[in-house]
Amino acid sequence: MQDLIRKIRGREARCGVIGLGYVGLPLALEFARAGMRAVGIDVDRRKVDAIRAGRSYVVDVSDGELAEQVRAGRLAATTDFAAIAELDTINICVPTPLRKTKDPDLTYVVAAVNEIAKHLRRGQLVILESTTYPGTTDEVVQPALEASGLRAGVDFGLAFSPERIDPGNPHFNTRNIPKVVGGVTAACTAAARALYEQSVETVVPVSSTRVAEMVKLLENTFRSVNIGLVNEMALMCNALDIDVWEVIEAAKTKPFGFMAFYPGPGLGGHCIPIDPFYLSWKAKMNGFEPRFIELAGHVNEGMPRFVVEKVTDALNGVAKSVRGSRIHCMGVAYKRGVNDLRESPALNVMRLLQAKGAVLSYSDPYIPAIREEGLALDALPARNGYLGGVDCVVILTDHAEFDYLALAGEAPLIVDTRNALQGCKADHIVRL
Ligand SMILES: NC(=O)c1ccc[n+]([C@@H]2O[C@H](COP(=O)([O-])OP(=O)(O)OC[C@H]3O[C@@H](n4cnc5c(N)ncnc54)[C@H](O)[C@@H]3O)[C@@H](O)[C@H]2O)c1
């Protein structure tokens, strides 16, 4: 690995990224910015074409910065896996979804690894970044790569480094979020560390791939469990007629031992609703029954139904039924400021309302259309005066672009699941 480390430090390494989504594209861009030659490989030709044209499809990457690296010849994209043979380092950033049964679906990882195995050569470094259960790197990736006849830690390097990006976060990005790395050997960790040190401010080495895999799952389980706790608090406060938002605001004045989490319509995105179940699956395979993960999942997955109950009660309060009511959803992306609809709880809220006979519409500056199981809708502009004509508005994502004051004055009935109308107390506003 010493030759590779020298090449990396000399910025002569050719760095490959497999999977150019929310994680892979910013990473490839950072490698290019660090002065190395980055090559992105994706099975999606549209993404490859967009990169070649200097067009970004990820919120945190601007067209300008992408085009600059492409023009300078530091960033290229291809659908051809033969490019792997020319690379020195290969980061895998493909999806790791769940099956319907909540079991890990490693299909994409295995497909990517099999392609690498075909072109693997001595001296290369392979790093898995996709979130997955502890043991994936040494139990799944390593044997598949060693089918090439080369040995991990001897002929090629192998490491795991969890991706921690937070899309839409204006303060933290690929460069300034510390990067945890764990290799199958100390030399593999050293090589992975050298690579990230070129483009990431802080690198945190750990003793093994399994520790690195578990770090990410602790972080995401921490979020899932705390969101589950605060969602249950919201349900309790609702039963006790206490304002949960006011409780949280006061609780967070405690300068130690408390961290504010907020209730909402449920969990979304490709991480928090999914990753803890990777851990849960692996724990069960080893005879351990995890309880926090399952309980938090249960509470969080029940939130869309609670929102629908709130909408039903609010309409009932003005002598209307859900059936036939025009219900407008404000914000459907899984969180503020992103164009990501994956696992968004808004979809379940909409499906449930539609099943009860509501006439749905929505607005979201980031999501022009919804074509998901059971839902086919095009976005309406956030403000064009029609909100006065609907029966109820449900705020599901608190995008900064919405004009909440105008909304409060215009809509006859509002169910606010995000406390977006904070401080705005009126009879026609119902909060979670
Ligand atoms: N999105 C996030 O905020 C986030 C944060 C931290 C970690 N992660 C993890 O990072 C991983 C990637 O997530 P993402 O959000 O970037 O996913 P994504 O769906 O945005 O991107 C994945 C890309 O991989 C491509 N792909 C799929 N199979 C491929 C294959 N065999 N070869 C080449 N390309 C292939 C897809 O076409 C897609 O462009 C997941 O494990 C996820 O859990 C995501």
Side-chain angles (χ1 to χ4, degrees):
M1 291 284 101
Q2 282 312 318
D3 282 352
L4 177 62
I5 293 177
R6 259 193 300 278
K7 241 178 158 176
I8 290 171
R9 293 205 174 124
R11 312 275 163 119
E12 288 156 16
R14 283 154 304 176
C15 305
V17 175
I18 299 187
L20 299 167
Y22 291 92
V23 168
L25 182 59
L27 181 68
L29 189 67
E30 283 309 325
F31 286 150
R33 273 186 172 154
M36 296 186 281
R37 264 190 296 147
V39 178
I41 306 175
D42 202 293
V43 288
D44 186 342
R45 168 148 294 284
R46 287 165 309 173
K47 285 191 176 144
V48 167
D49 289 343
I51 294 170
R52 287 177 174 173
R55 229 177 32 247
S56 173
Y57 45 85
V58 169
V59 278
D60 298 323
V61 172
S62 74
D63 289 352
E65 54 189 344
L66 182 65
E68 186 189 336
Q69 298 304 326
V70 173
R71 262 199 310 270
R74 281 190 294 268
L75 178 62
T78 180
T79 54
D80 185 2
F81 287 86
I84 292 169
E86 305 297 318
L87 300 171
D88 297 299
T89 66
I90 303 145
N91 288 63
I92 306 170
C93 306
V94 297
T96 43
L98 286 175
R99 298 187 190 284
K100 280 223 162 13
T101 51
K102 286 207 165 22
D103 287 353
D105 178 0
L106 287 185
T107 323
Y108 301 95
V109 171
V110 169
V113 169
N114 286 341
E115 287 294 341
I116 298 171
K118 284 188 210 162
H119 305 280
L120 193 67
R121 57 171 179 76
R122 224 169 233 102
Q124 285 180 318
L125 170 67
V126 178
I127 305 175
L128 178 63
E129 293 217 7
S130 303
T131 308
T132 183
Y133 59 81
T136 308
T137 310
D138 58 7
E139 290 169 4
V140 179
V141 178
Q142 187 173 343
L145 292 178
E146 289 184 341
S148 65
L150 299 174
R151 279 190 304 148
V154 178
D155 302 310
F156 67 93
L158 179 60
F160 183 84
S161 177
E163 179 50 60
R164 294 162 134 179
I165 53 150
D166 182 18
N169 189 320
H171 308 294
F172 293 103
N173 50 47
T174 306
R175 200 179 322 181
N176 65 3
I177 300 172
K179 199 91 176 87
V180 172
V181 292
V184 295
T185 62
C188 295
T189 307
R193 180 179 187 171
L195 174 66
Y196 290 120
E197 276 173 353
Q198 308 312 309
S199 50
V200 176
E201 287 171 13
T202 312
V203 181
V204 184
V206 294
S207 64
S208 67
T209 53
R210 283 171 182 248
V211 169
E213 289 160 336
M214 196 63 163
V215 167
K216 173 75 182 175
L217 295 174
L218 169 61
E219 291 166 5
N220 283 3
T221 302
F222 172 84
R223 284 189 63 75
S224 163
V225 167
N226 278 289
I227 295 168
L229 173 66
V230 83
N231 275 334
E232 192 172 70
M233 277 285 170
L235 302 183
M236 276 191 271
C237 283
N238 187 64
L240 299 171
D241 201 18
I242 295 169
D243 180 342
V244 68
W245 302 97
E246 190 182 350
V247 172
I248 298 167
E249 281 314 299
K252 81 181 195 200
T253 59
K254 185 178 179 185
F256 50 87
F258 182 79
M259 182 185 275
F261 282 83
Y262 298 94
L267 293 182
H270 190 30
C271 292
I272 315 294
I274 292 174
D275 305 344
F277 290 99
Y278 267 70
L279 177 55
S280 169
W281 176 84
K282 185 66 177 174
K284 284 182 198 160
M285 294 290 281
N286 286 269
F288 185 90
E289 199 66 42
R291 281 173 289 176
F292 276 110
I293 293 174
E294 305 287 331
L295 181 59
H298 179 75
V299 174
N300 292 328
E301 283 163 24
M303 291 311 286
R305 274 193 190 282
F306 180 63
V307 172
V308 170
E309 203 180 300
K310 279 271 179 192
V311 173
T312 309
D313 290 350
L315 283 168
N316 192 49
V318 291
K320 287 182 182 171
S321 63
V322 173
R323 179 163 302 281
S325 283
R326 283 153 303 165
I327 300 180
H328 183 79
C329 298
M330 300 267 299
V332 293
Y334 84 88
K335 68 170 181 175
R336 175 197 300 209
V338 300
N339 62 351
D340 195 346
L341 203 52
R342 290 178 297 179
E343 311 291 325
S344 176
L347 296 174
N348 277 343
V349 171
M350 292 172 95
R351 286 189 188 108
L352 290 166
L353 289 171
Q354 187 171 268
K356 285 183 183 292
V359 181
L360 292 180
S361 59
Y362 85 97
S363 47
D364 190 311
Y366 295 85
I367 311 279
I370 302 177
R371 298 287 181 272
E372 296 280 331
E373 202 182 311
L375 293 171
L377 292 161
D378 292 320
L380 298 178
R383 268 192 77 193
N384 65 357
Y386 62 86
L387 291 179
V390 303
D391 297 294
C392 181
V393 172
V394 191
I395 301 174
L396 293 168
T397 313
D398 52 346
H399 288 306
E401 288 81 355
F402 291 135
D403 183 344
Y404 294 105
L405 270 183
L407 168 72
E410 198 178 331
L413 186 62
I414 302 169
V415 174
D416 180 5
T417 70
R418 299 281 188 180
N419 201 24
L421 300 172
Q422 193 178 5
C424 200
K425 289 208 169 71
D427 285 348
H428 70 300
I429 300 171
V430 175
R431 288 191 295 164
L432 203 66

